[in-house]
C-alpha cells in the first residue's frame, strides 16, 4: 500500500464527515440557534468569558485538545497493524469525536458555560457529579504531570527546539496585544506570527540550548519540569486573550503548515507502507487488540479530555452558537488528521519491515520517537530537508501542542478546585491564585513524590486511556439525556456511547487482571476505583435516561 492512498482515503473521509455529517448533527440534532445569547456575551468578564472570533477560538480549542496524545496513541497502536489504527482514527473522528466535541460545547453553552462535571449534577444528580469530578481530576492530573515529562525529555533530546518552543510564548503575547489592543487585521497578524515562529525553527538548529545536567540538587529533567509548571501556573491566571488564545491560534496554524509539509512530502516521495496491514506476529506480551485498540488510541478518535476543554474554556469564549460546528467538529477533524499523519509516519517512514520491527519489538514502543524519526525520513526524502531541521520541525510541533494542552489543562484543574470550593462551601478555594497553587501542587506532588525525579506522572499513565475514554462515554451520556429531554433523536450519541463504555469497562477489567498478576497494588487499587466509578455513574445515568424517556413519552401521550 502506498502512503498516498492512505492519506487521500483518510482525509477524504474526514472532509465528507465535516461537510455532510456535522452539518446534519448541528442543524437537525443540536439545532444550533444563531440568536441564542452565549455565556461569553451574557457573562463577559474579559478574563475567562470573552466572545472570540471563531477562527481564533478554533485555534485555542484544537491545539488545547491535540497535545502529544494523538501522536502517541496511534504511534503505539500500529503494532497491531495499520488497518485497525486507520479505521478507528477515521471512523472515530467522523462519528465519535466530532459529535462528542461539538456536543460538549453545545451542552455547556446551554448551561451557562458550566463544566461537563457541573452539568452532570444539574442533569443527572449530585452523586454522579461528585464521582464524575473525581474522574475528571484524575484525567487532568495525568495529562498535566505526564505532558510536562514529555516536553522536558524532548527539550533534552533535541536542544535545537528550545528557542522556538520558548520563543513561541513571546510571539503569542505580541499577537494577543496586536489582535485585542491595536485591532490589526487578523490575516496580517497571522502571517507575521507564523513567519516569526518558523524563523525561530530555522534558527533553532544553529543555536541549540540545553540546561546543565545538574542545577544544584536538580537534574536537567527536573529543572525543565519545574520551569514548565511555573510557566503554566502564570499562563493559567492570565486573561485568555493575552496568551492562551493567541498561543493556541498561532500553534494551530503552525500545525496545519507542518501537516501540509508532511503530507506534501508524502505526495512527492510516495513512500510505501512497510508495516503489516494486520500484524499477526505481534511481540510476546502484546495485549488483545479488542478492547485495547480503542483505549490506546483515544485522542485522534475520541477523547474525554476534549469534553473538559470544550465545556471548560471553549464554551466560555463562543461568540455565536453556530460557531460550535467549526470550532468543535472541525477541531476534531484537525486532530484526526494529526493522528492519520502519525500512522503514516510510523508505518511508511521506515525503509524496510525489519527497520520497523526493530522499533516495534514490544508493546508500548514507538510513540513520539517513532513519529519524529519516521516523519523526518519522509520530510528528508520528499522535501530535501536535512535530518536535524526535519527533526526540529516535528519536535517543535509535538512540544508546542503538549505545552498548549498543559496551559489549558492547568486552567481546567484550577476550575475544578474552584468548583469544589463552591460545592463544599470553602470560599478560600474559589480564589484563582489559591486554586492554581493547589493544581500545581498536586501535579508536582505526583511528579516528584511518586517518581522522585519528576517522572512520577508516568506511574499512573497506563490508566490514562481507560479513564479518558470513560470520561468521553460519560460526556456522551449527559448529551444524550439532554437530547431526550428536548425530544430529539438520541441514536447519534447513544450508539457511540454504548460502544465506548463497553470497550472502556472491558479495558479496565483486563488492566485490573494485569496489575494483579504483576502485583502492582497501587495501580490495581486505582484501576478498581475507576472501574467502580464507571459502573456507579453508568447505572445512575441509565436510570436517569430511562426515567427521562418515560417522562417524555408520558408528556407526549398527554399532548
Amino acid at each position: 500500500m502506498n502512503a498516498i492512498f492512505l492519506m487521500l482515503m483518510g482525509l477524504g473521509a474526514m472532509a465528507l464527515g465535516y461537510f455532510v455529517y456535522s452539518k446534519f448533527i448541528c442543524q437537525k440534532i443540536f439545532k444550533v440557534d444563531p440568536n441564542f445569547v452565549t455565556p461569553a456575551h451574557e457573562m463577559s468578564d474579559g478574563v475567562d468569558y470573552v466572545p472570540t472570533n471563531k477562527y481564533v477560538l478554533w485555534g485555542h480549542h484544537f491545539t488545547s485538545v491535540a497535545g502529544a496524545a494523538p501522536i502517541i496513541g496511534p504511534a503505539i497502536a500500529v503494532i497491531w497493524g495499520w488497518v485497525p489504527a486507520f479505521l478507528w482514527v477515521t471512523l472515530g473522528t467522523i462519528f465519535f469525536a466530532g459529535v462528542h466535541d461539538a456536543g460538549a460545547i453545545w451542552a455547556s453553552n446551554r448551561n451557562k458555560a458550566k463544566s461537563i462535571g457541573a452539568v452532570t449534577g444539574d442533569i443527572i444528580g449530585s452523586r454522579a457529579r461528585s464521582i464524575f469530578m473525581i474522574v475528571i481530576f484524575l484525567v487532568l492530573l495525568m495529562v498535566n504531570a505526564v505532558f510536562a515529562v514529555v516536553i522536558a525529555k524532548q527539550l533534552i533530546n533535541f536542544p535545537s527546539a528550545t528557542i522556538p518552543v520558548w520563543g513561541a510564548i513571546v510571539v503569542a503575547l505580541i499577537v494577543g496585544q496586536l489582535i485585542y489592543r491595536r485591532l490589526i487585521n487578523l490575516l496580517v497578524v497571522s502571517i507575521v506570527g507564523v513567519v516569526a515562529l518558523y524563523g525561530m525553527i530555522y534558527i533553532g538548529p544553529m543555536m541549540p540550548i540545553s540546561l546543565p545536567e545538574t542545577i544544584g540538587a536538580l537534574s536537567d529533567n527536573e529543572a525543565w519540569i519545574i520551569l514548565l509548571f511555573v510557566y503554566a501556573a502564570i499562563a493559567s491566571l492570565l486573561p485568555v486573550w493575552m496568551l492562551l488564545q493567541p498561543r493556541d491560534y498561532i500553534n494551530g496554524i503552525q500545525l496545519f503548515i507542518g501537516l501540509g509539509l508532511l503530507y506534501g512530502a508524502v505526495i512527492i516521495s510516495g513512500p510505501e507502507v512497510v508495516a503489516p496491514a494486520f500484524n499477526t506476529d505481534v511481540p510476546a506480551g502484546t495485549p488483545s487488540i479488542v478492547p485495547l485498540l480503542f483505549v490506546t488510541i483515544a485522542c485522534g478518535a475520541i477523547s474525554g479530555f476534549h469534553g473538559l476543554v470544550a465545556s471548560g474554556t471553549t464554551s466560555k469564549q463562543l461568540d455565536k452558537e453556530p460557531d460550535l460546528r467549526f470550532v468543535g467538529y472541525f477541531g476534531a477533524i484537525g486532530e484526526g488528521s494529526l493522528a492519520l499523519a502519525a500512522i503514516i509516519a510510523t508505518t511508511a517512514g521506515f525503509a524496510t519491515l525489519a527497520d520497523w520491527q526493530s522499533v516495534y519489538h514490544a508493546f508500548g514502543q514507538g510513540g513520539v520517537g517513532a513519529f519524529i524519526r519516521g516523519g523526518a525520513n519522509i520530510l528528508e526524502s520528499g522535501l530535501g530537508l536535512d535530518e536535524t531541521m526535519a527533526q526540529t520541525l516535528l519536535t517543535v510541533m509535538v512540544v508546542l501542542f503538549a505545552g498548549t494542552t498543559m496551559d489549558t489543562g492547568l486552567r481546567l484543574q484550577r476550575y475544578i478546585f474552584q468548583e469544589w470550593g463552591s460545592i463544599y462551601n470553602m470560599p478560600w478555594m474559589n480564589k484563582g491564585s489559591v486554586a492554581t497553587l493547589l493544581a500545581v501542587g498536586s501535579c508536582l506532588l505526583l511528579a516528584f513524590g511518586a517518581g522522585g525525579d519528576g517522572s512520577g506522572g508516568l506511574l499512573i499513565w497506563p490508566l490514562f486511556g481507560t479513564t479518558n475514554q470513560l470520561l468521553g462515554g460519560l460526556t456522551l451520556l449527559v448529551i444524550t439525556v439532554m437530547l431526550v429531554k428536548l425530544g430529539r433523536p438520541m441514536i447519534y450519541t447513544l450508539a457511540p456511547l454504548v460502544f465506548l463504555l463497553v470497550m472502556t469497562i472491558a479495558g479496565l477489567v483486563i488492566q485490573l487482571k494485569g496489575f494483579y498478576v504483576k502485583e502492582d497494588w497501587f495501580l490495581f487499587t486505582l484501576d478498581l476505583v475507576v472501574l467502580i466509578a464507571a459502573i456507579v455513574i453508568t447505572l445512575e445515568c441509565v436510570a436517569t435516561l430511562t426515567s427521562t424517556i418515560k417522562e417524555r413519552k408520558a408528556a407526549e401521550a398527554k399532548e
Side-chain angles (χ1 to χ4, degrees):
M1 166 71 77
N2 191 285
I4 294 177
F5 295 106
L6 196 62
M7 179 190 76
L8 293 177
M9 286 190 296
L11 294 180
M14 291 180 198
L16 192 64
Y18 177 71
F19 288 111
V20 178
Y21 192 63
S22 75
K23 186 175 182 181
F24 166 75
I25 291 293
C26 290
Q27 291 184 354
K28 303 298 183 182
I29 306 303
F30 297 147
K31 295 185 179 181
V32 295
D33 182 2
N35 297 317
F36 182 82
V37 179
T38 65
H41 287 282
E42 183 183 355
M43 305 164 69
S44 178
D45 63 3
V47 178
D48 294 318
Y49 295 84
V50 180
T52 304
N53 176 289
K54 71 176 183 178
Y55 299 105
V56 176
L57 184 55
W58 172 85
H60 156 69
H61 179 80
F62 169 48
T63 54
S64 294
V65 301
I71 294 172
I72 296 173
I76 291 174
V78 293
I79 198 167
W80 288 298
W82 63 263
V83 169
F86 172 79
L87 290 176
W88 175 228
V89 163
T90 305
L91 298 177
T93 295
I94 297 169
F95 297 107
F96 287 67
V99 176
H100 171 276
D101 290 17
I105 299 174
W106 170 75
S108 177
N109 186 60
R110 288 300 176 117
N111 287 276
K112 304 291 185 182
K114 292 180 181 178
S115 71
I116 200 65
V119 173
T120 301
D122 295 341
I123 300 296
I124 298 171
S126 58
R127 183 164 54 187
R129 178 196 63 196
S130 299
I131 299 174
F132 201 168
M133 290 184 74
I134 292 172
V135 175
I136 291 172
F137 181 77
L138 283 174
V139 169
L140 290 173
L141 192 63
M142 292 178 196
V143 168
N144 292 333
V146 172
F147 277 18
V149 176
V150 170
I151 297 171
K153 286 187 175 181
Q154 300 312 311
L155 291 175
I156 292 170
N157 294 334
F158 301 97
S160 59
T162 302
I163 286 179
V165 165
W166 290 99
I169 299 170
V170 178
V171 172
L173 287 168
I174 295 172
V175 166
Q177 294 295 325
L178 291 176
I179 292 176
Y180 286 97
R181 294 303 189 199
R182 300 188 180 278
L183 302 178
I184 294 177
N185 182 273
L186 183 61
L187 178 61
V188 174
V189 174
S190 303
I191 293 172
V192 171
V194 170
V195 169
L197 182 58
Y198 274 88
M200 287 186 289
I201 291 175
Y202 178 76
I203 294 172
M206 302 177 189
M207 302 175 62
I209 297 176
S210 301
L211 291 179
E213 290 188 8
T214 57
I215 304 175
L218 299 175
S219 66
D220 52 355
N221 180 66
E222 294 167 335
W224 275 128
I225 289 172
I226 291 173
L227 285 173
L228 287 164
F229 273 113
V230 169
Y231 156 73
I234 296 171
S236 72
L237 290 170
L238 292 176
V240 290
W241 64 266
M242 187 177 292
L243 178 58
L244 188 68
Q245 280 183 0
R247 175 170 159 82
D248 291 351
Y249 174 65
I250 291 297
N251 284 350
I253 297 175
Q254 179 263 148
L255 174 66
F256 263 79
I257 293 174
L259 284 177
L261 292 173
L262 186 56
Y263 283 134
V266 169
I267 294 173
I268 294 171
S269 61
E272 291 292 325
V273 176
V274 299
F278 296 93
N279 192 6
T280 56
D281 187 26
V282 295
T286 301
S288 170
I289 187 173
V290 179
L292 268 298
L293 171 71
F294 305 102
V295 296
T296 301
I297 299 180
C299 300
I302 180 172
S303 165
F305 179 73
H306 294 199
L308 303 186
V309 176
S311 65
T313 57
T314 304
S315 63
K316 293 177 175 62
Q317 303 168 60
L318 192 69
D319 183 28
K320 299 176 182 178
E321 192 170 59
D323 291 352
L324 67 83
R325 178 184 170 220
F326 180 79
V327 174
Y329 197 101
F330 192 65
I333 294 292
E335 183 163 89
S337 67
L338 177 57
L340 177 62
I343 292 172
I344 292 173
T346 54
T347 58
F350 298 89
T352 65
L353 175 59
D355 288 339
W356 182 84
Q357 289 173 330
S358 68
V359 173
Y360 288 88
H361 57 82
F363 181 72
Q365 300 302 307
V368 172
F371 169 75
I372 292 175
R373 176 182 168 186
N377 289 338
I378 293 174
L379 288 171
E380 188 176 8
S381 60
L383 302 181
L385 294 179
D386 68 77
E387 184 179 7
T388 302
M389 178 60 72
Q391 288 183 345
T392 300
L393 176 67
L394 295 176
T395 301
V396 170
M397 182 187 296
V398 171
V399 171
L400 286 183
F401 283 98
T404 53
T405 301
M406 268 192 72
D407 288 0
T408 303
L410 201 64
R411 186 179 288 259
L412 291 172
Q413 218 171 342
R414 187 244 295 176
Y415 291 162
I416 291 292
F417 278 110
Q418 289 178 311
E419 285 187 5
W420 276 337
S422 298
I423 292 169
Y424 299 111
N425 195 27
M426 293 185 288
W428 57 272
M429 199 182 288
N430 291 330
K431 296 179 180 179
S433 57
V434 174
T436 299
L437 284 174
L438 290 172
V440 172
S442 60
C443 291
L444 290 177
L445 183 63
L446 173 63
F448 288 91
D453 60 353
S455 61
L458 297 175
L459 187 67
I460 62 173
W461 184 251
L463 281 173
F464 171 76
T466 45
T467 309
N468 185 53
Q469 297 303 70
L470 167 63
L471 196 55
L474 297 177
T475 300
L476 284 170
L477 220 160
V478 172
I479 297 168
T480 302
V481 172
M482 285 184 62
L483 290 174
V484 171
K485 287 186 174 183
L486 292 170
R488 299 175 190 172
M490 64 176 179
I491 187 64
Y492 305 100
T493 54
L494 184 62
L497 152 67
V498 172
F499 179 85
L500 205 59
L501 284 181
V502 168
M503 291 300 162
T504 300
I505 291 175
L508 283 166
V509 171
I510 290 173
Q511 284 185 320
L512 192 68
K513 180 182 177 181
F515 297 143
Y516 178 80
V517 171
K518 294 178 182 177
E519 297 185 351
D520 190 334
W521 304 120
F522 175 75
L523 286 180
F524 176 86
T525 303
L526 199 55
D527 189 301
L528 188 61
V529 169
V530 174
L531 180 60
I532 292 172
I535 294 171
V536 171
I537 297 177
T538 301
L539 291 175
E540 291 254 353
C541 291
V542 168
T544 302
L545 186 60
T546 303
S547 63
T548 303
I549 292 173
K550 288 180 180 179
E551 290 171 5
R552 187 68 197 177
K553 287 182 178 179
E556 289 175 353
K558 289 180 180 180
E559 294 174 1

